[in-house]
Amino acid sequence: MKKLVTLILALATVSAVAAKPKNQYVRIKTSYGECIIRLYNETPQHRDNFIKLVKQGLYNGTLFHRVIQNFMIQGGDPDSRDPKKAAPGAELGNGDLGYTVPAEFRDSIFHKRGVLAAARDDNPKKASSACQFYIVEGKRYTAGKLDTLEKAPRMNGHKFPEWQRKWYESVGGTPQLDQNYTVYGEVVSGIDMVDRIAAVKKDERDRPVEDVPMTVELLKKRECRQLDKLLGLNK
């Protein structure tokens, strides 16, 4: 009986260790530090597309080519790792992969400080760029400013729920982008990297004067499980 109990406990331990993490995390590394981002399961098409591109190594060597302090830092243009297309002073942000990702707007997901979201062109379906993304630095908004934003034509009558208003007022974000660009992840560690990059010197196109290249990697399952536990997302 003792051997049987031991075997059951051993199998339970192996099962727990082998359990698939609830969430996938990625690490973005730059000369200004690194951050870890949790990809949202609520936006599966964007999540899976981003994972696919990271596995392909597409982002390694690309630049954060557009940065606006108190707003966001944007990267992922494949042209930005081409020495000819990314020469100093050249305009970046037009590179793509020949397809888009359908918009995945969720009422519970909004443009709070630190979120990962998809860039896009001015298409009527608001479909996302296959590869370009931005991370929100954001700023805090007053209740009055949020009231004004709600009346803007681009918001299409969207109203900020009270709990989101409190977040925008206390922590900050970019509420004017809600329901217009798909948010599909958030920084869980290393938000200071975003602040440092957002503050760099830039040219008239908001491109950093000194290039800010990145590498992006998927965290291993063990690391993902640890983060799920740390963040209370393993239940």
Side-chain angles (χ1 to χ4, degrees):
M1 179 61 72
K2 183 179 293 186
K3 289 184 178 180
L4 180 59
V5 172
T6 302
L7 178 60
I8 291 174
L9 290 174
L11 290 174
T13 301
V14 170
S15 177
V17 171
K20 184 178 179 180
K22 301 289 185 181
N23 298 273
Q24 178 63 61
Y25 299 81
V26 299
R27 178 182 287 108
I28 299 179
K29 294 181 179 180
T30 73
S31 58
Y32 290 88
E34 62 181 58
C35 70
I36 294 176
I37 293 174
R38 175 173 70 90
L39 301 179
Y40 291 153
N41 294 325
E42 296 88 344
T43 51
Q45 294 183 80
H46 283 75
R47 176 200 63 200
D48 294 348
N49 180 69
F50 195 74
I51 289 173
K52 177 188 71 174
L53 298 182
V54 173
K55 286 182 176 179
Q56 292 174 354
L58 180 132
Y59 291 116
N60 296 335
T62 60
L63 307 176
F64 278 106
H65 64 269
R66 180 169 175 252
V67 305
I68 302 176
Q69 195 165 24
N70 299 320
F71 187 46
M72 58 90 228
I73 61 173
Q74 181 175 336
D77 181 351
D79 288 348
S80 69
R81 62 180 183 183
D82 183 327
K84 293 182 179 179
K85 295 180 179 180
E91 181 180 7
L92 292 169
N94 296 312
D96 62 38
L97 299 179
Y99 68 94
T100 57
V101 181
E104 293 182 288
F105 300 144
R106 303 288 182 264
D107 290 339
S108 60
I109 297 175
F110 61 111
H111 277 80
K112 63 184 179 181
R113 171 172 162 80
V115 296
L116 170 73
R120 65 171 176 82
D121 59 17
D122 192 23
N123 69 86
K125 293 185 178 180
K126 301 180 181 179
S128 302
S129 163
C131 54
Q132 294 197 45
F133 65 86
Y134 58 93
I135 305 174
V136 170
E137 181 187 31
K139 63 181 181 181
R140 289 189 291 272
Y141 284 75
T142 64
K145 182 63 176 177
L146 292 172
D147 290 340
T148 300
L149 281 177
E150 287 182 338
K151 299 174 184 176
R154 67 177 295 165
M155 300 306 293
N156 296 314
H158 174 69
K159 301 294 183 181
F160 304 115
E162 188 60 32
W163 66 277
Q164 291 183 8
R165 279 176 160 267
K166 290 180 179 179
W167 196 287
Y168 283 135
E169 291 173 21
S170 61
V171 180
T174 54
Q176 66 271 34
L177 302 182
D178 282 353
Q179 302 301 308
N180 279 290
Y181 296 81
T182 296
V183 175
Y184 62 102
E186 67 177 87
V187 174
V188 298
S189 175
I191 189 65
D192 53 322
M193 181 203 82
V194 178
D195 294 332
R196 293 190 189 106
I197 294 174
V200 302
K201 185 178 181 181
K202 57 192 180 180
D203 63 19
E204 65 278 4
R205 294 193 179 97
D206 295 317
R207 176 178 170 179
V209 174
E210 294 186 9
D211 286 346
V212 184
M214 73 180 86
T215 60
V216 186
E217 62 185 16
L218 296 174
L219 269 62
K220 299 183 184 303
K221 290 182 179 180
R222 175 180 56 79
E223 296 174 294
C224 292
R225 284 194 298 269
Q226 290 174 342
L227 282 168
D228 277 347
K229 183 177 181 180
L230 183 65
L231 297 169
L233 301 173
N234 59 335
K235 299 178 181 179

